[in-house]
């Protein structure tokens, strides 16, 4: 791996870490979601700082090239992230349905109470 690419990887990882912490500080992202991004940034940083380690790991796992290993790791991380977000979206949809049902029940009770008050006044 040439030095220019290593410097770019280290710079990009620090930039990503800075952005993540800024989003956490501004409450734009939850800490539980930021862990995934911090892990990814740390992985990029390690590849930039220790490129020989990733080559050794590539040979150990059995990939022919380092780029194939990196693409495989990225795809695995993205699949895991997609699965996690799908579970969260499903839970949120269930909560929206439940809240909608509870709101409808409350509106019906309010309407029934106001009808009863009008009938008493008439």
């Amino acid at each position: 791996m040439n030095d220019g690419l290593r410097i770019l990887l280290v710079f990009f990882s620090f930039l990503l870490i800075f952005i993540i912490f800024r989003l956490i500080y501004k409450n734009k992202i939850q800490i539980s979601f930021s862990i995934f991004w911090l892990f990814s940034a740390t992985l990029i940083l390690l590849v930039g700082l220790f490129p020989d380690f990733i080559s050794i790991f590539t040979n150990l796992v059995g990939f022919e090239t380092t780029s194939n290993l990196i693409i495989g790791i990225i795809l695995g991380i993205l699949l895991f992230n997609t699965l996690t977000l799908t579970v969260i979206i499903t839970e949120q949809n269930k909560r929206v349905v439940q809240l909608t049902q509870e709101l409808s029940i409350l509106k019906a009770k309010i309407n029934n109470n106001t009808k009863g008050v009008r009938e008493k006044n008439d």
Side-chain angles (χ1 to χ4, degrees):
M1 181 180 304
N2 68 26
D3 291 338
L5 179 58
R6 290 179 64 194
I7 292 170
L8 185 65
L9 286 173
V10 170
F11 173 76
F12 179 72
S13 64
F14 279 122
L15 179 66
L16 187 58
I17 290 169
F18 172 76
I19 291 170
I20 293 165
F21 280 120
R22 188 162 170 91
L23 289 172
I24 292 170
Y25 177 74
K26 291 186 171 191
N27 286 328
K28 300 279 185 180
I29 188 172
Q30 293 179 4
I31 293 176
S32 59
F33 296 133
S34 67
I35 292 171
F36 163 78
W37 294 108
L38 287 172
F39 175 75
S40 298
T42 304
L43 185 64
I44 293 169
L45 180 65
L46 290 174
V47 169
L49 293 176
F50 307 108
D52 294 334
F53 173 74
I54 196 77
S55 298
I56 293 170
F57 192 69
T58 300
N59 293 332
L60 182 69
V61 176
F63 282 89
E64 288 187 26
T65 62
T66 305
S67 60
N68 289 345
L69 174 67
I70 292 172
I71 290 170
I73 290 170
I74 290 170
L75 282 174
I77 290 170
L78 289 175
L79 284 172
F80 177 75
N81 191 27
T82 303
L83 179 64
T84 304
L85 292 175
T86 302
V87 169
I88 291 169
I89 289 171
T90 302
E91 290 173 3
Q92 294 295 324
N93 283 339
K94 288 178 183 178
R95 291 172 117 182
V96 167
V97 168
Q98 182 181 4
L99 286 172
T100 304
Q101 290 170 346
E102 289 175 3
L103 181 64
S104 297
I105 291 169
L106 288 174
K107 282 184 177 181
K109 286 182 180 180
I110 290 171
N111 285 339
N112 287 339
N113 287 340
T114 56
K115 285 181 185 177
V117 170
R118 285 186 202 155
E119 289 173 2
K120 288 180 184 178
N121 290 337
D122 290 340

